[in-house]
Each structure stands twice: as structure tokens, then as C-alpha cells.
């Protein structure tokens, strides 16, 4: 549980630092432009959303993980519900991935 909180805190920190984008359109744009270092998709995201980001991240070789509820991710970012977000800072992305690996990654896939 502690690690889940740590991941959400890191997402919040990244957001306050201006190092995240969220929402389907912005996240996809970050992946395509090469600015995304990590994509996080909510475990509650629709099958279509999961497939879209799994395919995009595989093609563009961006790490992706499935973590948290939409409300949880949105709250961590100080926003409404979020089904997807991209972390655009390499060191923050690595810190989040490290925590994901500790809790078993929840579907973390390194590309």
C-alpha cells in the first residue's frame, strides 16, 4: 500500500513540475512526439484505450504500465478523472517505474 501512495505522490510531483500530460489526446501526442518517458494507463480504462496505448507504446518504444483507478490518477494530478497520462521527465519516470517494479508493476511492460 505504501508503494502505491509513493507512486501517486511521484505523479503529483511530476505534475506540479509540469512534467506530465494527461488525457487521451495529449498522452498520444507525447508518445508520438517522443517526449513521453513513461505512459500510465488506469486499470479502469476501457479496452479500446488500453489497446490504443499498448499498440502506440510498443510501436514508439515507450514503457507503459497499468496502475490505479481513474479517480486516483486524477486526484494525484489535482484534476478530474484521468484514464491515461504520460510522464515527460526521464528521472521521474524511472523513479515511478522503480516503485512499480517493487509492487509487481501491475502490468508494467518495458519496451
Amino acid at each position: 500500500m505504501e508503494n502505491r501512495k509513493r507512486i501517486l505522490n511521484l505523479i503529483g510531483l511530476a505534475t506540479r513540475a509540469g512534467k506530465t500530460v494527461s488525457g487521451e489526446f495529449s498522452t498520444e501526442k507525447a508518445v508520438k512526439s517522443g517526449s513521453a518517458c513513461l505512459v500510465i494507463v488506469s486499470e479502469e480504462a476501457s479496452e479500446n484505450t488500453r489497446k490504443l496505448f499498448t499498440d502506440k507504446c510498443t510501436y514508439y518504444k515507450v514503457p507503459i504500465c497499468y496502475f490505479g483507478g481513474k479517480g486516483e490518477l486524477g486526484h494525484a494530478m489535482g484534476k478530474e478523472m484521468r484514464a491515461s497520462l504520460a510522464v515527460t521527465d526521464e528521472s521521474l519516470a524511472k523513479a515511478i517505474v522503480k516503485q512499480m517494479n517493487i509492487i509487481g508493476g501491475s502490468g508494467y511492460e518495458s519496451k
Side-chain angles (χ1 to χ4, degrees):
M1 191 65 200
E2 185 61 38
N3 290 78
R4 284 185 75 83
K5 194 182 264 181
R6 223 176 261 148
I7 292 165
L8 293 168
N9 286 341
L10 283 166
I11 291 169
L13 181 71
T15 302
R16 287 191 299 281
K19 301 294 183 185
T20 60
V21 295
S22 63
E24 199 166 305
F25 180 76
S26 298
T27 304
E28 189 178 348
K29 195 171 149 198
V31 171
K32 287 179 175 176
S33 71
S35 64
C37 300
L38 171 68
V39 170
I40 299 173
V41 177
S42 168
E43 291 164 343
E44 298 171 355
S46 70
E47 238 359 91
N48 286 348
T49 301
R50 290 173 78 106
K51 181 173 174 16
L52 170 83
F53 286 113
T54 301
D55 293 350
K56 289 275 181 256
C57 290
T58 301
Y59 183 79
Y60 289 96
K61 296 181 172 42
V62 176
I64 182 174
C65 56
Y66 305 97
F67 173 80
K70 291 178 184 180
E72 221 176 358
L73 292 177
H75 181 74
M77 299 182 80
K79 294 178 163 54
E80 295 294 307
M81 296 212 271
R82 290 289 183 262
S84 60
L85 67 104
V87 179
T88 57
D89 179 84
E90 187 70 42
S91 56
L92 284 166
K94 282 184 176 155
I96 293 170
V97 166
K98 186 177 172 189
Q99 295 301 318
M100 292 280 182
N101 287 333
I102 291 169
I103 63 168
S106 185
Y108 171 72
E109 295 171 25
S110 179
K111 299 288 178 236

